[in-house]
């Protein structure tokens, strides 16, 4: 293959299931839910009073003074990126900073900073608005902070494609290395918008589960009783590296990022195309880009957010693009929907599924939808030899991103 | 209010805003060179000092406040 091979050499995450990759993965394989009640005072007025909040607060990893100038989405991107960077073992390897890039996006950005500073503006006037407001709320803030702390000089980028952001950021990292712009790219997504305004906005769209009395069972992709997604927060970051660069330094390789497929629906601002045309094309492109056959995909980490329409639309798309042979799963049943971080966290789950030869479970699938005619790893993790995995992410705006990881 | 009291008040602000060890705060110390307070944190220090001491510190005065002693003198003479 003449094209540049790209491999994954580091993983980092902080999620509703754990403060790092190992604890998150252990919880996933055990089928634990990260969803719980919102106990904040403001939650009482909302129709949605559940969310998947971080298992470990950023203040346990970052000191108080530094946190003052970081939006929560920036803080957790830094935590995940430092874990991935340490995991890759790239510190002190003499990597040229001009060959190191960053591609980390957020679906919504620093909305909680914006809203908190607006509260200060209203209550105390403009002079009390923090001088850190702008670098905290700007959507490129997480990528910029990671680039700053790692000294990346090959370019720092922050794509935004709603719930496809994390996957698109990884796809951009792949492109950067293939195009020869970087040897290593720290790539992923971050999101932290558990605040009444975003929740009210999603709730007004009737997109969220209101199963307030049973939080751990609220996120239930493909189950007949599903009633919307559960908002989650967290960050996922992978270190992408040119394969020969990784080999030359004897790096541990988790998997190969073999291909990416990106399309747009051109159909509706929030509804997916009813026949899933954009999704089908993205999957086909990713498989073609990976240079494999659709039959090689034995496992799919689906986008499946637990919404009535989206979940079955994706099944139809998977059927059309792949047939019915892969074992599929929806890890959002445990993590909730991390929006701009979802594609990155699910890439990590896909990569670890390859490493450990196991499909993480889809919990809460008690009464499968009649249109679910594929094999789901329901309730329990399932052992499976996985040479190649597909990870789907779709976002409001009609963004479709499919990533293919293969054994390294 | 004595100069020492103003200094210790500033030390509290510097600890809260910029994580400066209060033991390091003394009149001869430069905010930027000795205490590592960057320009954005200095804005926070000024706003917090205005609130704490009930003084007004205009932006064109801030550039003259190089050391903790400069700030103490300004606050003392404008109380």
């Amino acid at each position: 293959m003449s094209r540049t091979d790209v491999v994954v050499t580091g993983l980092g995450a902080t999620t509703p299931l754990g403060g790092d990759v190992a604890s998150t993965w252990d919880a996933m394989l055990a089928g634990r839910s990260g969803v719980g009640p919102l106990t904040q005072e403001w939650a009482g007025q909302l129709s949605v009073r559940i969310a998947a909040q971080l298992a470990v607060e950023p203040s346990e990893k970052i000191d108080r003074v530094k946190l003052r100038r970081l939006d929560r989405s920036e803080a957790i991107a830094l935590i995940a990126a430092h874990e991935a960077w340490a995991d890759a073992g790239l510190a002190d390897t003499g990597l040229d900073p001009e060959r190191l890039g960053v591609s980390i996006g957020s679906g919504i950005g620093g909305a909680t900073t914006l809203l908190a500073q607006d509260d200060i503006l209203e209550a105390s006037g403009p002079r009390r608005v923090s001088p850190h407001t702008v670098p905290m709320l700007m959507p490129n803030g997480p990528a910029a902070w990671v680039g700053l702390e790692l000294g990346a000089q090959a370019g720092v980028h922050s794509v935004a494609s709603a719930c496809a952001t994390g996957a698109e950021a990884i796809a951009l990292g792949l492109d950067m290395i293939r195009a020869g712009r970087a040897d290593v790219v720290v790539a992923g997504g971050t999101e932290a918008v558990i605040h009444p305004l975003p929740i009210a906005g999603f709730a007004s769209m009737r997109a969220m589960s209101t199963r307030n009395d049973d939080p751990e069972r609220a996120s239930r992709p493909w189950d007949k009783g599903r009633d919307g997604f559960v908002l989650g927060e967290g960050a996922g970051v992978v270190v992408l590296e040119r394969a020969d660069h990784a080999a030359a330094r004897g790096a541990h390789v988790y998997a190969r990022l073999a291909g990416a497929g990106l399309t747009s629906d051109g159909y509706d601002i929030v509804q997916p195309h009813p026949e899933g045309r954009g999704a089908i094309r993205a999957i086909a492109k990713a498989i073609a880009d990976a240079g494999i056959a659709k039959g090689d995909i034995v496992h799919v980490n689906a986008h499946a957010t637990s919404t009535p329409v989206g979940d079955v639309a994706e099944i139809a798309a998977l059927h059309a693009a792949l047939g019915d042979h892969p074992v599929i799963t929806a890890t959002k049943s445990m993590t909730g929907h991390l929006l701009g971080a979802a594609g990155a966290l699910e890439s990590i789950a896909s990569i670890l599924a390859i490493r450990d030869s196991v499909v993480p479970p889809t919990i809460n699938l008690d009464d499968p939808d009649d249109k679910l005619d594929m094999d789901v790893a329901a309730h329990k993790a399932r052992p499976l030899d996985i040479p190649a995995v597909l990870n789907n992410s779709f976002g409001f705006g009609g963004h479709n991103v499919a990533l293919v990881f293969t054994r390294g | 209010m004595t100069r020492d009291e103003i200094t210790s008040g500033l030390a509290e602000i510097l600890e809260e805003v910029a994580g400066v060890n209060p033991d390091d705060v003394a009149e001869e110390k430069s905010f930027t060179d000795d205490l590592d307070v960057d320009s954005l944190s200095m804005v926070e220090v000024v706003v917090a000092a205005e609130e704490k001491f009930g003084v007004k510190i205009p932006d064109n005065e801030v550039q003259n406040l190089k050391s903790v002693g400069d700030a103490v003198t300004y606050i003392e003479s404008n109380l």
Side-chain angles (χ1 to χ4, degrees):
Chain A
M1 196 172 189
S2 62
R3 182 146 53 190
T4 307
D5 273 350
V6 175
V7 294
V8 179
T9 56
L11 304 177
T14 182
T15 76
L17 296 176
D20 57 16
V21 169
S23 57
T24 297
W25 183 235
D26 286 350
M28 265 191 199
L29 293 183
R32 281 222 307 274
S33 170
V35 182
L38 285 170
T39 54
Q40 294 88 335
E41 195 184 339
W42 50 255
Q45 60 178 329
L46 299 172
S47 61
V48 173
R49 297 185 294 279
I50 51 175
Q53 300 180 88
L54 287 173
V56 176
E57 278 298 307
S59 57
E60 294 190 26
K61 303 253 177 90
I62 298 179
D63 75 65
R64 178 192 65 80
V65 172
K66 187 172 170 185
L67 273 180
R68 286 171 55 87
R69 53 175 65 196
L70 294 173
D71 182 77
R72 191 170 170 89
S73 65
E74 296 173 335
I76 60 179
L78 280 172
I79 290 166
H82 280 297
E83 182 190 1
W85 184 249
D87 188 33
L90 277 159
D92 308 318
T93 59
L95 174 65
D96 179 355
E98 294 186 10
R99 302 296 302 162
L100 171 62
V102 173
S103 173
I104 294 178
S106 167
I108 296 185
T112 58
T113 291
L114 178 69
L115 292 161
Q117 293 299 322
D118 185 58
D119 289 345
I120 291 171
L121 174 69
E122 296 293 327
S124 309
R127 206 171 155 76
R128 291 288 180 276
V129 171
S130 167
H132 305 299
T133 301
V134 172
M136 287 171 73
L137 71 81
M138 62 191 195
N140 56 317
W145 270 108
V146 171
L148 181 67
E149 297 213 344
L150 299 182
Q153 296 173 29
V156 168
H157 307 288
S158 34
V159 301
S161 48
C163 307
T165 298
E168 183 170 343
I170 291 171
L172 176 61
L174 176 67
D175 284 348
M176 287 175 74
I177 295 174
R178 283 176 171 175
R181 289 183 53 211
D183 294 327
V184 176
V185 178
V186 176
T190 184
E191 203 77 75
V193 289
I194 294 179
H195 177 286
L197 190 93
I199 292 174
F202 282 121
S204 292
M205 298 175 82
R206 306 295 187 267
M208 299 182 84
S209 172
T210 56
R211 195 181 288 260
N212 297 314
D213 55 352
D214 200 3
E216 296 191 355
R217 297 166 66 81
S219 185
R220 41 198 313 116
W222 301 310
D223 186 85
K224 275 183 184 160
R226 69 189 184 278
D227 68 334
F229 77 86
V230 175
L231 182 62
E233 59 177 352
V237 172
V238 300
V239 174
L240 304 176
E241 187 167 357
R242 221 181 63 228
D244 57 350
H245 189 276
R249 67 183 185 91
H252 169 253
V253 170
Y254 282 95
R256 196 160 73 95
L257 173 52
L262 293 87
T263 66
S264 46
D265 280 354
Y267 171 75
D268 187 87
I269 195 66
V270 292
Q271 300 293 339
H273 188 280
E275 292 159 27
R277 281 190 201 157
I280 293 167
R281 283 191 299 122
I283 295 166
K285 280 171 181 278
I287 291 169
D289 189 36
I292 62 174
K294 63 184 183 183
D296 296 332
I297 301 287
V298 300
H299 164 44
V300 179
N301 190 310
H303 184 64
T305 64
S306 186
T307 60
V309 177
D311 287 14
V312 290
E314 183 178 11
I315 292 294
L318 284 171
H319 241 292
L322 298 175
D324 62 1
H325 67 279
V327 179
I328 66 174
T329 198
T331 45
K332 287 188 184 80
S333 60
M334 299 174 283
T335 64
H337 190 354
L338 273 59
L339 307 182
L345 177 57
E346 287 148 26
S347 288
I348 290 170
S350 300
I351 291 161
L352 293 175
I354 291 176
R355 183 192 70 179
D356 293 349
S357 297
V358 62
V359 176
T362 300
I363 64 169
N364 299 324
L365 184 53
D366 300 326
D367 188 8
D369 191 294
D370 295 335
K371 291 184 179 146
L372 177 64
D373 52 2
M374 294 184 78
D375 187 4
V376 182
H379 305 301
K380 280 188 149 79
R382 185 181 313 173
L384 186 73
D385 181 53
I386 305 173
V389 55
L390 170 73
N391 172 26
N392 281 343
S393 296
F394 312 125
F396 280 173
H399 311 273
N400 309 291
V401 182
L403 301 175
V404 171
F405 295 93
T406 59
R407 196 172 280 143
Chain B
M1 193 175 281
T2 67
R3 289 185 71 89
D4 280 353
E5 285 167 343
I6 296 170
T7 302
S8 73
L10 284 172
E12 281 174 31
I13 291 169
L14 287 161
E15 184 184 26
E16 166 67 20
V17 167
V20 175
N21 183 340
D23 295 342
D24 294 342
V25 178
E27 289 210 22
E28 70 278 11
K29 296 288 178 72
S30 154
F31 288 109
T32 51
D33 298 340
D34 299 321
L35 302 179
D36 215 18
V37 178
D38 68 16
S39 61
L40 294 186
S41 292
M42 194 63 200
V43 175
E44 289 191 280
V45 170
V46 167
V47 171
E50 286 184 335
E51 195 156 293
K52 192 178 196 88
F53 300 110
V55 296
K56 196 92 190 103
I57 308 175
D59 286 350
N60 58 2
E61 279 297 336
V62 173
Q63 58 195 346
N64 301 325
L65 307 180
K66 306 283 188 210
S67 69
V68 174
D70 294 340
V72 172
T73 300
Y74 182 87
I75 292 165
E76 189 182 34
S77 57
N78 287 275
L79 277 172

